[in-house]
Amino acid sequence: MEGARQILRARRKIAALEPRSLFRDTAWDMMLELFISGEEGGILFVKQLMIASGESAASAMRRIDRLESAGFLERIPDMLDQRRVIVQLTSKGRTAMLAMLDEVFGAPPAAPATPRPFVPRAAAADEPLAPQR
């Protein structure tokens, strides 16, 4: 997972160069964000992913739509707040990210077999939303 963080930091530095769009492919940025979040057992919402992409809302949604159509990510309704949509890598998306990281850094010594799955649960109205552990 540290390798994914290193690549994301490097991509952000490169994206800061001018012209901005020349060195930016937000699909990879989104995939890295989703991979890191999934491996940590966290939750990312569509809006957070859109902001992290650095694209306009319309462009970010088109990118999310394309990644979903290709089978790399999925959207899940948030059972606690119907205004939000959770987004996560599919097994195909996670496999692609692991293959890319293996190619760049070599096989990790003890990578977990599967990420911790998101399991919606009912919560009291005043209970804060926290990642499932």
Side-chain angles (χ1 to χ4, degrees):
M1 185 168 43
E2 186 53 38
R5 285 191 179 105
Q6 289 174 0
I7 292 172
L8 188 56
R9 281 191 301 270
R11 291 184 57 77
R12 286 180 179 154
K13 285 181 183 179
I14 292 169
L17 300 174
E18 294 295 329
R20 187 170 185 213
S21 62
L22 184 62
F23 296 108
R24 183 105 192 207
D25 180 359
T26 56
W28 280 112
D29 296 336
M30 289 178 172
M31 294 285 289
L32 286 162
E33 291 281 357
L34 288 166
F35 178 78
I36 293 166
S37 176
E39 294 302 298
E40 292 176 340
I43 297 171
L44 272 181
F45 299 101
V46 169
K47 186 170 184 174
Q48 291 170 305
L49 194 58
M50 290 169 59
I51 291 168
S53 77
E55 290 190 295
S56 69
S59 293
M61 284 305 296
R62 280 192 299 272
R63 185 78 65 183
I64 290 168
D65 289 342
R66 282 188 233 137
L67 288 169
E68 184 177 37
S69 293
F72 289 107
L73 63 82
E74 62 186 345
R75 289 180 253 203
I76 302 166
D78 183 349
M79 304 309 255
L80 300 176
D81 186 341
Q82 296 301 311
R83 297 168 294 176
R84 298 186 302 194
V85 176
I86 297 163
V87 62
Q88 65 184 18
L89 289 179
T90 60
S91 61
K92 177 182 177 179
R94 183 172 183 272
T95 299
M97 292 304 298
L98 287 171
M100 186 270 299
L101 292 168
D102 181 43
E103 186 66 29
V104 173
F105 297 103
T114 57
R116 288 178 241 168
F118 170 73
V119 179
R121 62 179 176 85
D126 61 341
E127 183 179 351
L129 182 62
Q132 296 289 316
R133 300 269 179 204

